[in-house]
Amino acid sequence: MFNVDFTKIVNLLKFDPSDPLLFGSSLFLIVFFFLILFYRIFATSKNARILLLLFFSLFFYYKASGIYFLLLIASSAVNFAFGKFIFESKSAGIKRLLLIFNITLNLGLLGYFKYTNFFIEIINDFKLGTFDPIDIFLPLGISFYTFKAMNYVLDIYLESMEPTKSFRDFSLFVFFFPNILAGPIDRASQFIPQIEQNDLVISKEDIGKALLLIMSGLLKKVVIADYLSLNFIDRVFDSPLRFTGVENLFALYGYGLQIYCDFSGYSDIAIGISLLLGFKLMDNFNSPYQATSIADFWRRWHISLSSWLLDYLFRPIQMKFRNLKMFSNVIAILVTFVLCGLWHGASWMFVFWGLLHGFYMSVSMFLQKPKRMLYQKLGILNSKVLKVFQVLITFHLLAISWVFFRVKSFEEALNIFGQIFNFFDYKIIPQFVEGYTPSFILIVLGYTIHFLPKSLEVKSASILGKINPVFQALILAFVIWFAAQIRSAELQPFIYFQF
Amino acid sequence: MISERLHKIICSTLGLQEDEVEIKDDTLANQVPGWDSLNHVNVITAIEKDFAVRFKSIEVLKCKNVGDLQKLVDSKINK
């Protein structure tokens, strides 16, 4: 009666490096539906729920990285053991040694998979030797789950938390599929206690919030980020000299929106899916382009990474060099941001991008007092005009930095800036709007929505949470259908997967 | 209890009026106006200077709130 081709189904569920389970793909929607179904059936049995999530997460990771799911299990086992050893050891010296060993192990593994070829390139470039690049598979999400697991060990060392006795619970924290490939890099101290809740109770507010996040994440990713990149931004960035300054400038503004929508869209869906499973992950974005300074931006952008770097890298360096007073901040800022750049990928452009942010932050730190005095003199301190001005300046500093994040070489970046400064004619703007109407509308719309007050989001979530579940499902189905219609081609991989 | 002396150092480093800021044991650094991650270094060095003590970096990193910092100062001056 039913002629099901099981080999096809098995092939669909097998590891395929070019086809991870992307949120929003049809396959993900189907398997997630079954997951939720069984998850609800097991609502009263905590153990069954946890096991289901563990196995589903391992399958999710296997689909993206194949045999490297074993690496994930090994990473979890090693970090769990280190957490226990550090906590139980009585001597501060041994604790310290264990921590150093643990950090070396984690970063060594990350370094091998991510940076080996970069170091080979450096050795070759500086003529220190001649080596051929090695073919190394990069297990997806390794930067994210390594940092997640390290946070557990570091917090135990800093006495911010006690280790969990359950290897199962710790593994779920590391494997948890919604945030394993691209964050948020959640904190063990906040996640693990949630596993121990006995009953699965999800409030109406959380359901409303989850639906809103999943829908907005999908629309951000498919409608704004993918559409803009395929139809406008990639074309300009691939050959900037073929376009005028106007197109280059709009591509630069567009890329700021694209990367935000791509990455925060992923985070939104991850947080939304987690809420439906009864877990609250940490916030990862808070309207970052509303920032009034670069420091403010880093409190709003990729919060889970910036707070990780602040707690475990910036603060220790700052304390180590504190005799140098404000210069200890400069050292800590520069080291943190260069490593933050390198965390994103093994290339000089990421290093430069990090360095540029470090430079922005250091300069603004020294200008803080004179600026304050100037604003006081002009009588504009705390005024709206000043805030608008600060947001605009910060946004443009960020837009400049994104160019270095996006391009492959300095030459490409200089070409883009060259076109903007040398071939900009505002009379071309109407022509540009006519030629790229949908992209122009999306850029304007995207930024307008970005600047809407947060209260609107809260209100929408609360309304969505109160309506009948059938209508909720219908609305969600409509948004998924709408996104599928807009989808220009195959769903584009999320930019942050490569990190 | 946060000692008057510690309260005074924190306020004078951050340019705050002493009577306008309440600092309790469970107060977090970021709840005190101006005590951000950059100014943190000024607060810590000012405390070390005033009490003539020297903290280990790890001791400061372990402090979760001002109460912990007070305990750390007390442990140093009672040595």
Side-chain angles (χ1 to χ4, degrees):
Chain A
M1 198 167 68
F2 292 107
N3 206 357
V4 182
D5 187 348
F6 283 103
T7 29
K8 257 192 185 164
I9 295 182
V10 171
N11 280 340
L12 212 59
L13 300 177
K14 258 190 182 165
F15 161 57
D16 179 353
S18 61
D19 187 24
L21 260 183
L22 293 181
F23 294 161
S25 68
S26 337
L27 183 61
F28 177 79
L29 293 172
I30 295 167
V31 288
F32 185 65
F33 171 76
F34 282 105
L35 173 74
I36 286 283
L37 193 72
F38 283 104
Y39 201 70
R40 297 301 310 185
I41 293 172
F42 298 145
T44 49
S45 165
K46 189 179 80 183
N47 291 337
R49 268 195 340 258
I50 295 175
L51 279 179
L52 182 66
L53 270 187
L54 269 175
F55 282 109
F56 186 85
S57 296
L58 277 178
F59 159 69
F60 184 88
Y61 192 72
Y62 159 80
K63 184 81 181 87
S65 290
I67 193 71
Y68 287 96
F69 78 92
L70 293 174
L71 183 74
L72 184 68
I73 297 175
S75 164
S76 169
V78 167
N79 285 298
F80 178 74
F82 268 96
K84 189 172 149 56
F85 295 152
I86 289 176
F87 182 73
E88 285 172 0
S89 119
K90 296 278 173 282
S91 129
I94 291 178
K95 276 180 197 272
R96 199 180 146 88
L97 264 178
L98 283 169
L99 182 76
I100 292 171
F101 189 46
N102 178 264
I103 292 175
T104 314
L105 214 59
N106 276 309
L107 296 186
L109 210 62
L110 188 61
Y112 168 74
F113 284 106
K114 222 171 148 176
Y115 304 104
T116 305
N117 283 324
F118 184 51
F119 286 121
I120 288 178
E121 195 189 306
I122 294 174
I123 292 171
N124 289 344
D125 285 352
F126 285 93
K127 307 227 175 334
L128 302 168
T130 324
F131 296 95
D132 289 328
I134 308 168
D135 188 19
I136 300 172
F137 177 80
L138 179 67
L140 282 189
I142 189 167
S143 315
F144 291 91
Y145 69 73
T146 305
F147 269 37
K148 212 158 67 156
M150 281 175 81
N151 135 260
Y152 172 76
V153 179
L154 285 160
D155 267 3
I156 290 170
Y157 180 75
L158 291 174
E159 294 170 15
S160 298
M161 72 176 287
E162 289 191 5
T164 168
K165 289 186 177 66
S166 161
F167 178 53
R168 183 195 64 183
D169 287 5
F170 178 68
S171 297
L172 183 58
F173 163 66
V174 181
F175 301 170
F176 194 57
F177 79 92
N179 67 359
I180 196 166
L181 296 185
I185 306 166
D186 217 43
R187 297 292 175 103
S189 57
Q190 281 157 38
F191 188 89
I192 292 174
Q194 296 183 55
I195 304 175
E196 286 307 320
Q197 290 164 5
N198 280 321
D199 291 321
L200 178 65
V201 186
I202 304 167
S203 68
K204 279 191 171 175
E205 277 127 30
D206 283 347
I207 291 179
K209 199 177 164 199
L211 291 179
L212 188 70
L213 282 168
I214 293 171
M215 291 191 296
S216 72
L218 209 58
L219 294 177
K220 271 182 188 170
K221 166 69 181 159
V222 176
V223 182
I224 299 183
D226 285 359
Y227 185 91
L228 277 182
S229 82
L230 286 173
N231 295 290
F232 172 53
I233 297 165
D234 286 358
R235 292 186 205 170
V236 180
F237 273 93
D238 286 346
S239 40
L241 296 178
R242 286 181 48 221
F243 294 88
T244 68
V246 171
E247 280 123 341
N248 273 280
L249 183 68
F250 275 94
L252 186 126
Y253 289 156
Y255 186 65
L257 187 66
Q258 182 202 335
I259 192 158
Y260 166 70
C261 287
D262 193 286
F263 189 23
S264 77
Y266 186 91
S267 281
D268 286 354
I269 302 173
I271 296 169
I273 285 176
S274 306
L275 275 175
L276 292 181
L277 297 167
F279 288 92
K280 289 190 172 73
L281 297 184
M282 69 187 290
D283 283 339
N284 220 13
F285 290 90
N286 179 17
S287 309
Y289 295 129
Q290 289 186 21
T292 52
S293 68
I294 297 294
D296 188 22
F297 170 77
W298 280 104
R299 284 189 287 269
R300 296 163 171 267
W301 175 273
H302 202 178
I303 302 164
S304 64
L305 175 70
S306 57
S307 64
W308 195 106
L309 292 171
L310 176 71
D311 286 346
Y312 308 124
L313 190 62
F314 177 86
R315 287 188 195 283
I317 300 173
Q318 179 195 45
M319 275 304 115
K320 187 94 200 145
F321 294 101
R322 66 183 178 280
N323 284 351
L324 302 172
K325 289 282 180 83
M326 286 315 250
F327 284 99
S328 70
N329 285 336
V330 176
I331 296 170
I333 285 172
L334 290 178
V335 173
T336 305
F337 276 103
V338 165
L339 291 177
C340 172
L342 211 53
W343 178 90
H344 284 83
S347 104
W348 289 114
M349 297 317 293
F350 285 127
V351 172
F352 183 76
W353 171 79
L355 201 60
L356 187 60
H357 273 266
F359 174 75
Y360 285 162
M361 292 271 285
S362 307
V363 171
S364 82
M365 186 177 72
F366 285 110
L367 289 180
Q368 216 170 13
K369 266 188 191 162
K371 268 195 312 194
R372 209 183 153 79
M373 277 158 63
L374 180 72
Y375 299 151
Q376 243 158 359
K377 224 175 191 178
L378 295 171
I380 53 170
L381 194 72
N382 300 327
S383 69
K384 275 209 171 130
V385 183
L386 178 66
K387 203 181 159 198
V388 172
F389 180 72
Q390 285 173 323
V391 168
L392 274 175
I393 295 279
T394 307
F395 173 74
H396 282 85
L397 290 174
L398 292 167
I400 291 169
S401 80
W402 285 134
V403 172
F404 295 100
F405 193 86
R406 169 68 173 74
V407 297
K408 295 275 172 287
S409 68
F410 282 105
E411 199 193 338
E412 281 177 45
L414 292 179
N415 284 341
I416 292 166
F417 294 128
Q419 292 299 96
I420 293 173
F421 285 107
N422 301 325
F423 295 100
F424 188 89
D425 184 352
Y426 68 91
K427 287 185 205 119
I428 301 173
I429 295 179
Q431 264 172 277
F432 162 75
V433 175
E434 209 176 304
Y436 289 96
T437 312
S439 297
F440 178 76
I441 291 174
L442 279 180
I443 294 175
V444 174
L445 193 72
Y447 280 118
T448 309
I449 294 172
H450 187 82
F451 281 90
L452 291 177
K454 192 108 187 147
S455 53
L456 208 69
E457 192 185 316
V458 179
K459 242 183 219 162
S460 315
S462 140
I463 293 171
L464 209 55
K466 280 180 194 147
I467 59 177
N468 187 304
V470 178
F471 284 111
Q472 286 177 339
L474 279 177
I475 294 171
L476 184 64
F478 173 75
V479 170
I480 293 170
W481 172 82
F482 178 69
Q485 300 307 307
I486 296 278
R487 195 177 295 171
S488 351
E490 279 296 293
L491 194 59
Q492 298 300 300
F494 289 89
I495 296 176
Y496 265 68
F497 273 11
Q498 59 186 305
F499 309 144
Chain B
M1 258 297 272
I2 304 302
S3 69
E4 231 171 83
R5 190 168 165 194
L6 183 63
H7 188 266
K8 197 175 166 186
I9 302 165
I10 293 170
C11 289
S12 74
T13 312
L14 300 172
L16 303 167
Q17 296 289 335
E18 278 173 55
D19 45 0
E20 282 175 13
V21 191
E22 192 189 12
I23 303 177
K24 291 187 287 193
D25 280 350
D26 58 358
T27 303
L28 303 173
N30 62 17
Q31 290 169 333
V32 181
W35 193 343
D36 56 20
S37 52
L38 297 176
N39 255 333
H40 187 60
V41 71
N42 296 328
V43 177
I44 298 299
T45 46
I47 295 170
E48 285 185 319
K49 196 176 167 194
D50 197 277
F51 285 99
V53 291
R54 177 78 184 166
F55 307 132
K56 286 181 187 162
S57 298
I58 181 78
E59 291 171 337
V60 183
L61 293 170
K62 278 181 185 170
C63 293
K64 305 289 168 259
N65 48 36
V66 188
D68 287 349
L69 196 58
Q70 175 74 63
K71 277 185 216 151
L72 179 63
V73 172
D74 294 344
S75 73
K76 293 281 169 186
I77 48 179
N78 292 334
K79 253 185 185 174

